[in-house]
Amino acid sequence: MRLPPHLAVRDGRLLIGSHDCVALAERFGTPLYVTDGDRILHNYERYANALKAHYPKVRVLYAAKANSNLSILRMLAIAGAGADVFSSGEIELALKAGMKPQDLLFNGSSKSRRDLALAVERGVRISVDSLDELTQLEEMAASANRMVKIAFRVNPALEVPTHPKIATGLRTSKFGIPHEEVVSAYREAMRCPHLEPAGMHCHIGSQILEMAPFAEAARVMLRLAGELKDIGIHLEFIDLGGGLGIPYRREQDPEVGPEDYASAVMPHFLKGIRELGIEPELWVEPGRFIVADSTLLLTRVNSVKHAHANFANVDAGFNLLVRPVMYDAYHEVIAAGKADQPATQVWTIAGPICESGDILARDRRMPELIAGDLLAILDAGAYGFVMSSQYNARPRCAEVLLRGDEARLVRRAETMEDIISTMVV
Ligand code: LLP
């Protein structure tokens, strides 16, 4: 298997950065999320530089939903990232991590009044998703006596080659204002004395490995920017969202990167702004590309069972990584202490949850496994821990962040006390 440069095999052991996974599991226990912070910074810089090579006024708003551990947000804040935030919780985390309110864009199709109030009070820009939200926001900005900079989320009605649950720019999606109605929405916003229509936003979906839909979205956005110019709106920023995928199936997925994304999108963006004579900032919101490959989920084999299939029953299930069950997602699995042994058997990796769907990986060629073996599930950094649950009264596991030779706990494992503490008998 082709491993990314921060992973390696030495003496049969899987290493992440300079750290032996078997030793990390012994030190911190399993299940365990282990993140290579240096890899995150590398991915972030790569993404930002790929776009800045075409146009200097680029801002990267990391999609905090992908992984909102405070230590990771803090590292990205120091590196200069802003954030796409989707709830008042994510606003609070991003601010606590040191990001500035003006470097955040608050997105979402169902914001509560409390969410909106926090964004107004803190001076966070808001991507408005409906005319009802616009009216509520104007009222709130007026009563707080604040000017709020807004964008509208555009639904560009584009088909994208990804799992239907994560295609967000379809005509039938719940997100955004249909592109034919966008200009009239901005007209409406111009009549709101406390709202300043400063930007325009779209996001077409996630885990996209073909570049054509991104280029098409850029074309739609620049066409709309022209129509907005005609009604007197000068956009400060155009936000093209996130969505660049990663090669989870390392043997067969195309290895596309931000350079390919930039080569597909930037010609449309640059041609559009030149024709219009405008120079807005270009905002982008990558989540997965920045964090996915930085992280392993380490899980230990509790028992093996040779039935109609060879089951390795492990201590992590969809309580900790829901992607395989929810999107039929594929994650590579490596036997972290036997990484040089021949893959002679076919295994199903099954979690401990009381549901037959709790399978993390199917039909994988791996060495012979026994109870106590350690498995590493790759590419677990995006939409991994953040989507975890306490189903079956299982406390969530710890997270460790690696920087160089240092390994630090950045989230302790929950205990039964944590689970019980919010209950009232
Ligand atoms: N911007 C907006 C408005 C978004 O809704 C998202 C992701 C992003 C940016 C970041 O997209 P990315 O670069 O990470 O593809 N849980 C699913 C993915 C859900 C994506 C939600 N929105 C999964 O595990 O595949």
Side-chain angles (χ1 to χ4, degrees), residues 269-308:
F269 180 82
L270 293 173
K271 178 166 174 281
I273 62 168
R274 267 186 213 124
E275 282 172 8
L276 296 173
I278 58 174
E279 266 198 19
E281 289 186 358
L282 169 62
W283 291 14
V284 284
E285 303 175 339
R288 189 187 313 269
F289 186 84
I290 309 291
V291 290
D293 73 2
S294 70
T295 300
L296 304 174
L297 173 57
L298 299 182
T299 180
R300 208 173 279 291
V301 177
N302 283 327
S303 60
V304 295
K305 180 165 62 180
H306 302 285
H308 57 278

Side-chain angles (χ1 to χ4, degrees), residues 194-228:
H194 298 88
L195 304 182
E196 182 190 338
M200 184 166 52
H201 173 223
C202 79
H203 169 74
I204 59 171
S206 198
Q207 183 52 19
I208 299 169
L209 293 169
E210 285 174 28
M211 298 303 110
F214 292 122
E216 185 52 25
R219 264 178 11 85
V220 171
M221 293 292 275
L222 269 298
R223 175 176 57 72
L224 289 171
E227 294 179 29
L228 294 183

